[in-house]
Amino acid sequence: MTFDAVKIRQEFPILATIANEHPLVYLDNAATTQKPQAVLDALMTYYTTSNANVHRGAHYLSDRATAQFEHARERVMRFIHAPENSHVIWTKGTTEAINQVAHGLEWSISSDDEILITSLEHHANLVPWQQLAFRTGARLRVLPLTSTGKWEPEYAHYFNQHTRIFACTQISNAIGVKTPLEEMLAAAKAVGAFTLVDGAQAVAHYDVNVTELDCDFYVFSGHKMYGPTGIGVLYGKAHALEVLTPVQTGGEMVRHVTYNSTEFNVLPYRLEAGTPHIEGVIGLAAACDYFAAQDRQAMLEWEQKLARYVYDELKFNTAIEIYSPASDTTVVSLSVPGIHTMDLNGYLDSQGVAVRAGSHCAHPLMAQLGVSSTLRASFACYNTLSEARRFCDVLLEAIEILGDD
Ligand code: PMP
């Protein structure tokens, strides 16, 4: 396998940062990725050549901005293998997309219904469903997945005739484990539930094919896949998007308005009220093009190799508990009993190593693991083997220094 991370990192200007007097080692990619020059250029070019509001003005710049904006939708559609561009709805990110679905389906939920999630969810794919259950009297159920991402056959009854919605992450942000998505989606479809997949941690690593996955909704954020912040996608099948009540109303999403009534616009505009994040959309499409130009399989294998390296380096250290799988992941999430993860994080930061300590917006999963927080190193295409090595060295140093207290 020949993936040249050293070459690719030249395209990410921020990686030259000196952090706390050390060369930055950025291993917080599951929180957000850095942006390649191609994405930064797309943002700058938009503002210097095409900035205007879209779908509104009949003038040169507005036509130009609208063409770029709608072309971006097509590029994102192709990136996730969606059948039509009207199935791609712009949102602020994963969180907003899930909230749109949870509110948009509220009319269809009654107190006899069940909403099913898994025990590996980020709060973004938990709290909106919990609140929907509170509002409607429906029951929120949690399919117990093991921390290795397994689903025991004895839990098949969680999918039943009451299940109206099944929402599941593709990959756990906290521990990097993949969920048994295909099996669970099949079980949800067999009982006629709406299905939503949280792809926030998947799109940066996998060639996601929403048509093959055959879920009703697929959601993700641009900033975790080398695109800008503030832009994300709600993909939906036509029948699923059609029945969503818009959460936000106003301009753009209407066809005709009187004081007594409003005729909503067609998809995708019906779910996109107000001036959109035009620059974000264009930057996200540039990130998709950036991926399309890479050998994505080699990229993924490289990222997995780095995580595997760290795992193998640390696995026999009796001071360390690792919660991520040994392979097939790009994340290493761990704790050191007796030392607070924030202290480890502080030491790593002082040495220029950026990781994430905390509960990773997954309190119930932390409880399942029996910890309050973990330290997570998450890899992207621009990370190198020497950075993986440095993470291990500095972590071991931190354990030695902090463990003596
Ligand atoms: N789901 C998962 C699995 C995530 O990792 C994240 C971000 N950490 C989210 C949802 C929420 O994404 P955002 O904050 O971009 O809306």
Side-chain angles (χ1 to χ4, degrees):
M1 180 190 34
T2 54
F3 182 77
D4 196 345
V6 173
K7 183 159 168 242
I8 219 167
R9 61 189 283 118
Q10 308 305 322
E11 299 174 38
F12 292 78
I14 203 170
L15 297 178
T17 299
I18 298 297
N20 296 324
E21 294 167 30
H22 296 276
L24 172 71
V25 174
Y26 187 78
L27 302 180
D28 194 17
N29 296 291
T32 202
T33 49
Q34 300 303 343
K35 321 303 172 198
Q37 192 63 50
V39 169
L40 304 177
D41 288 347
L43 301 178
M44 187 56 105
T45 304
Y46 166 69
Y47 277 120
T48 48
T49 68
S50 315
N51 177 49
N53 212 330
V54 291
H55 302 139
R56 299 208 177 140
H59 59 74
Y60 178 80
L61 280 184
S62 173
D63 290 347
R64 216 175 143 102
T66 303
Q68 289 176 19
F69 180 77
E70 289 304 334
H71 181 49
R73 202 188 299 269
E74 261 183 61
R75 285 143 79 197
V76 172
M77 170 202 92
R78 278 199 299 274
F79 180 71
I80 56 171
H81 306 278
E84 273 179 46
N85 54 12
S86 61
H87 297 231
V88 172
I89 311 293
W90 304 123
T91 67
K92 264 190 342 196
T94 307
T95 304
E96 187 174 80
I98 296 172
N99 275 279
Q100 164 61 73
V101 177
H103 282 276
L105 289 179
E106 184 166 337
W107 63 269
S108 73
I109 305 295
S110 69
S111 55
D112 283 343
D113 291 334
E114 295 180 1
I115 300 163
L116 184 60
I117 60 172
T118 81
S119 60
L120 298 187
E121 303 309 320
H122 185 283
H123 294 161
N125 201 27
L126 186 169
V127 183
W129 304 117
Q130 177 197 63
Q131 298 298 311
L132 173 63
F134 289 163
R135 291 195 300 275
T136 57
R139 180 175 175 205
L140 178 72
R141 299 196 74 185
V142 183
L143 180 70
L145 293 182
T146 65
S147 54
T148 54
K150 295 272 180 312
W151 168 39
E152 306 298 338
E154 71 204 71
Y155 296 132
H157 66 274
Y158 277 77
F159 296 93
N160 61 54
Q161 75 275 20
H162 297 286
T163 316
R164 295 291 301 144
I165 298 171
F166 172 62
C168 176
T169 192
Q170 195 167 358
I171 299 176
S172 157
N173 64 305
I175 54 176
V177 74
K178 278 190 199 162
T179 59
L181 195 58
E182 280 82 4
E183 271 172 70
M184 294 188 298
L185 288 177
K189 274 182 271 179
V191 297
F194 279 107
T195 52
L196 177 142
V197 177
D198 174 351
Q201 292 296 332
V203 282
H205 306 290
Y206 292 90
D207 182 14
V208 169
N209 186 325
V210 294
T211 304
E212 267 174 23
L213 270 179
D214 198 30
C215 48
D216 292 314
F217 302 104
Y218 190 94
V219 297
F220 61 96
S221 304
H223 70 94
K224 290 184 195 283
M225 50 163 285
Y226 309 108
T229 47
I231 186 71
V233 170
L234 162 60
Y235 155 81
K237 286 186 184 172
H239 79 91
L241 291 174
E242 289 292 355
V243 299
L244 291 183
T245 309
V247 166
Q248 296 207 41
T249 51
E252 278 284 281
M253 55 82 67
V254 295
R255 261 188 158 158
H256 188 67
V257 180
T258 69
Y259 285 119
N260 299 320
S261 68
T262 294
E263 189 192 336
F264 290 156
N265 207 339
V266 292
L267 289 170
Y269 312 111
R270 194 170 72 83
L271 296 170
E272 294 177 353
T275 300
H277 185 12
I278 307 167
E279 139 217 356
V281 164
I282 286 167
L284 176 57
C288 293
D289 293 351
Y290 183 78
F291 270 117
Q294 312 294 332
D295 179 344
R296 294 198 64 190
Q297 187 55 32
M299 202 183 225
L300 171 64
E301 285 171 20
W302 175 254
E303 293 159 347
Q304 289 178 338
K305 180 178 162 166
L306 297 178
R308 179 74 203 217
Y309 174 86
V310 169
Y311 185 94
D312 286 343
E313 284 294 300
L314 303 179
K315 69 182 173 191
F316 294 124
N317 190 314
T318 51
I320 299 174
E321 298 253 5
I322 302 181
Y323 305 100
S324 301
S327 58
D328 206 14
T329 185
T330 60
V331 165
V332 181
S333 198
L334 57 84
S335 73
V336 179
I339 306 180
H340 201 286
T341 52
M342 287 311 291
D343 294 336
L344 294 171
N345 185 90
Y347 186 79
L348 283 153
D349 180 44
S350 75
Q351 303 301 303
V353 182
V355 291
R356 173 85 180 268
S359 62
H360 313 290
C361 297
H363 292 159
L365 172 58
M366 292 296 117
Q368 179 177 328
L369 297 173
V371 291
S372 58
S373 66
T374 72
L375 188 82
R376 180 188 68 188
S378 50
F379 294 92
C381 66
Y382 41 66
N383 290 127
T384 62
L385 208 48
S386 59
E387 288 183 310
R389 171 79 257 157
R390 173 129 177 93
F391 167 70
C392 296
D393 289 347
V394 179
L395 176 68
L396 296 176
E397 228 169 77
I399 294 172
E400 204 165 299
I401 295 168
L402 299 166
D404 286 338
D405 290 355

